Amino acid sequence: MTRVNVTVNGRAREIDVEPAKLLVHAVREDLGLTGTHVGCLTGDCGACTVRIDGATVKSCSVLAVSAEGAQITTVEGLAGPGGLHPVQQAFWDEFGFQCGYCLPGMLLTACELLEDDPDPTDEAITLAVNGNLCRCTGYHAVKRSIRCAADRMREGS
Amino acid sequence: MITRDFAYHAPADLGGVTAALAGGDAVIVGGGTMVVPDMTHGRTTPGVVVDLSRAGLAGLTQTAGGEVVVGATTTYTQLLRGGELAPLLRRVAGGVTGGPQIRNKGTVGGSACYANPSSEIPAALLALGARMRLASARGVREVAAADFFTGAFTTERRPDEVLAAVVLPSPDGPAFGYHKLKLSESSWPIATAACVRGPGGWRVALGGVAATPLLVTIESADPRHVRAEVARVLTEPWSDVLADGDYRRRVAPVVALRALKEGEAS
Amino acid sequence: MTSIGTSARKADGEVLLTGRGRFVDDHVLPGMRHAAIVRSDRAHARITGVDTSAAERAPGVELVLTGDQAARHTGPIPHFIDPAARGGRRAEVRCLAVGKVVHAGQAVAAVVARTRREAEAAALLVEVGYAPLPHVLDADEALLPDAPRLYEEWPDNVILHNHYGTGDVDAALAGADLVVTETVRIGRTTTAPIEPRGYLASWDRFDESLTVYGSVQNPHQLRWMLARSLDLDETRIRVVTARVGGSFGLKMQGHPEETLICLLSRLTEAPVKWIEDRRECFLSGAREQVHRVTVGATNDGRIVAVRDRIVANAGAVTAQPGWAMPNMSATTLASGYLVPNVEAELHVVATNKPPLNAARGFGKDGAHFVMERIVDLVARGLGADPAHVRRVNLIPAGRFPFRTATGLNIDSGDFPGLLDKALKALEYDTLRARQRELRDRGRYLGIGLAFELTPESADGPGTFVSGFDVTTVRMNMSGGVTVLTGVTSPGGGNDTAIAQIVSDELGVPLGWIQVVQGDTDRCPSGFGNFSGRGMVVGGGSAALAARDVRAKLAVVGARMLGVAPEEAEVTGGVVRVAAEPERSVAVPDVAAAVLTRAFAVASEVEPVLEATRAFKPGNIDHVPDERGRIQPYPTYSNCLHAAVVEVDPETGVTTLADFVMVHDCGVVINPALVEGQAHGAIVMGLGAALTEQLSYDDEGRLLTDRFKSYLLPRAGDLPEVRLEHQVTPSPFTMYGNKGAGEAGVGGAQAAVANAVEDALAPFGVTVTQVPLPAPVVLDLIERATAK
Ligand SMILES: Cc1cc2nc3c(=O)[nH]c(=O)nc-3n(C[C@@H](O)[C@@H](O)[C@H](O)COP(=O)(O)OP(=O)(O)OC[C@H]3O[C@@H](n4cnc5c(N)ncnc54)[C@H](O)[C@@H]3O)c2cc1C
Ligand code: FES
Ligand code: FES
């Protein structure tokens, strides 16, 4: 077992993991944050997406031990005391999900995109979610949700 | 799940990396995008894992002699944000699929060392005439990209060596073209062509179409000439579940011509 | 009515958005163990021995179970749809293979350990001895007299052989001006929900009872099935449908692991969890058919006869209902067209591929692909515009209910209306002109049309495919409403739409309503989700139950207001005097009165603020007509798809340029939810048309075992899919609504196939298969130009 110190959604946490443990399993089992999902364990689906030091990664392709010292954001960390994050709100209003299994990946990649590029083109939105598979929505409402979030966030700021 | 236990090292510098590799039975994790899932699915079962993420190998620098040194752990995202010194690699990075998550993690060195026939970096390095800088406890050596890729998933790298950097002979690849053919956004690249203008014409490296990337020199972008040259080098086309060798044989010249067309216009 | 017809947001939105949706893998029970499954790497072999000793010694292992051992504790798994009840053959399906394996990937042994990691590690140590048997992977080959036989007790490999249709096809073909014959193939795809299957079974040895959390579509049927296979009393079993991360038919029951995981829990006396991995999930097939069609048409474009010989590759026999899908391919033939003479012969064939499991489209998609290819082939043969041939043959609006040659009694529709709207949305004539212009410049644009008829909300007599469902509406003392329904939601959001219905029918705000689904101990006995039934029968039964409760509120409320019940109305959470809306009493006060003043102001009603009702659509009819046809579907949603593609003739790559679907599912309860379903189904069809295909090696082992080889559409593959609605209410459902959820797969697939052929018309290409990945298209071009 290796002791790993991470800051998760703003809180310092300490976990003991085997070096062989994937970050996605550490997040789900050791940190108890089951909002991050497993869909493939091959890096293809994006359901396991988390942000490490601001950058989205597929946490099934990261060893938990390698996250020592990192700032991790999971889907549970998006909403603040004031309620849902504007991206979450937009996904709700615009029906950006159905079963919600892909949702953590969609939300976190959308947040990363909009921080980099507050007014993304349709192409940029597509490129941002291209690593996330969704079998329910056909992506139409996902893209619409991100556009809506971008518009609202720009108006709000 | 990764079922076998291993010892984990994340050395803080290159010396630490080469020391950790010296013991044998080690697997290197660059960005981990290929190798971690491979461990999960039992395709590789190392006793030691050496993680490069803290070894400080990322970044692009230019030497006094004008060469560009691309650190092995430079990610696609880093190329996109600061790859002015390596425009062809940056161009490749922009087309890497799998979303920002893969571009944030996948590295130039990982793509090169994995030597997947379907990966894009190897052919780009070949077109650029890159040298692969390999380090081990025994020292540092450089291998030309043309000699580095020895077969599907195999390279000239010895088990105790790490790819520290790739060295590009000139900074701004005077003129280049790139074209990638894939079946869809989910698909591996099926055929790629990277072309760089050199003294004797275009250096065109074909990726995805054979076990290793193939280099042809094209004097003129005349389609007949290109077709003939591609046919000459493409003797054993690669087959996989997405496309058989016959398909790759047919599209390889098309992809080469499209890259050349872009190159000519650049 | 205020809520029905509006796009109320998903009721579970906040829970899912904040990562609190509890999927099956998120459930943890004290003392929980983990299972891993050892699967066959042979397509057909006798099991000569299973050596579990090394696995048993591995760390953390508590049990290693073989097929022989499992067979001592469990019986065969009963079929969801019994082939024997349909005139077909049944094979014994066990939770672990006994004696022999019939497909690669079949479960042979199972390991239970403290952690999943230990279970997976130990599973690698189980040694299975096999004596290979000859295998057959192709359905046509499996039909040959000397083909290897999967089930020794059968005389051949045929699960079902049946004929469908009426009329005199021979005579009609003889009189036709044009006869076209073609063989078309539909490749093997899979549903691939992003959440794979999973079960958590917990045996309580004190109670002798079993609780199962599962990612499943049909909890009540699963309970029945487990009672049979585990020889338990149904009353001892509780199935709870954890939140489901997409299903698309896959999670209908009949999978061996359902019984297996329960058995493992019983044997270890601990909760046992098993979560399918992605490679296992890819074992499930969704469709694979060959159609040999002959079609006759007159010079004016009328299709007079269709003959189709269908061979469907069902893979190995399963208890899951997937094997029955090809039945619907035959029954849906001729789709929404006026074809008087139809003859379909169907062979559903067992092979040594993994089983077919139910999939969105449920076989109807096969009919759409074939019919739409036929219409285009006729158009081509006659030199006519495909839109024109569709207009000539589509059933006109005035002809409903319309009985098709295969027996379906289509309730209602305006099919030519769909076509008009689709052509308008495309700007068809302009687009054709643009196509010509681009062709001159060496660019190949193609336009493909496809009509899709989606019989929905099926009822299969004697099976658990039920055409009705049951809902309880219960008001508590505070006026809050719990709706317990037998239909479940795999993510589409029918819980939200049911709440909307209850809100309107009961007259209380949406926020007061909580919908509970998928728990056999709480919900009335119902049938879960399949066949677009959620709103038709779930919504219908919820409406009836809500009305019963409202009637009581009206009686008691009226008395509290001092008026006659007829003068009172319940709306917006109050009972008020209709003529004097300001005179009102709050529903919670009325509810309290019913429950606390049963002998006073509420003395006229039975003091139960709860009703349980079933909804049975009026037009299901299982009595065969004079020609032996039955009518198992109450609603027939329909739509018209138009795909615009551009094909790169040098590489064969097809790019989707535009896509329009005009959809008619009658009255829409929640437009955004319906549109979401349609988008998802269309994209599933686009994947099946272009890139999705399960491939196997010669030994029957799956080659496409990850998302980089089985290619699901991604955002960047898709054009802006455009949807338009047309509303032709169903006369037979509660609100005139029709099933929604399946429509899209078959039509999208067919429209793209037609578009690719249209694009490549200058080369003379005939599209005879889906999917159409680039290598296939390039082959088609080369073969056509070589001719
Ligand atoms: C969803 C998805 C989409 C993708 N799309 C594309 C695409 O479009 N084009 C494309 O080309 N690729 C694609 N890839 C492959 C992509 O993972 C690689 O291109 C990536 O660059 C690999 O880098 P890595 O650092 O993650 O490698 P790793 O997984 O860390 O390593 C790969 C191999 O190289 C070895 N290795 C890594 N670094 C070194 C080093 N410095 N020295 C010696 N050995 C080393 C490892 O031991 C391992 O064997 C995709 C992958 C995924 C999962
Ligand atoms: S589980 Fe990590 S990408 Fe699918
Ligand atoms: S909403 Fe179900 S996978 Fe995206």
Side-chain angles (χ1 to χ4, degrees), chain C residues 650-710:
Chain C
E650 289 185 318
T651 62
V653 172
T654 301
T655 306
L656 294 159
D658 190 14
F659 197 95
V660 178
M661 180 216 223
V662 188
H663 189 210
D664 189 342
C665 62
V667 173
V668 176
I669 310 287
N670 181 320
L673 293 177
V674 167
E675 283 171 15
Q677 290 290 302
H679 277 285
I682 288 168
V683 171
M684 202 174 253
L686 297 176
L690 289 174
T691 54
E692 292 183 35
Q693 175 143 39
L694 293 174
S695 304
Y696 306 82
D697 68 11
D698 291 344
E699 300 304 315
R701 296 181 196 121
L702 186 67
L703 294 170
T704 43
D705 64 352
R706 66 175 285 193
F707 288 123
K708 284 196 98 47
S709 46
Y710 186 88

Side-chain angles (χ1 to χ4, degrees), chain C residues 67 70-71 74-83 89-98 100 102-103 106-107 150-151 153-154 159 225 228-230 253-260 315-321 323 350 355-357:
Chain C
T74 53
I77 301 170
H79 286 274
F80 193 121
I81 301 175
D82 187 350
R89 292 204 187 91
R90 186 193 276 156
E92 199 174 272
V93 183
R94 296 275 179 171
C95 66
L96 289 175
V98 178
K100 74 171 199 168
V102 288
H103 68 88
Q106 188 172 357
L150 270 79
Y151 304 102
E153 61 281 16
W154 292 12
I159 300 174
M225 194 206 77
R228 295 293 169 289
S229 60
L230 295 163
Q253 94 280 358
H255 296 279
E257 296 85 356
E258 295 153 349
T259 297
L260 177 62
V317 167
T318 167
Q320 228 255 359
W323 74 270
L356 280 193
N357 289 307

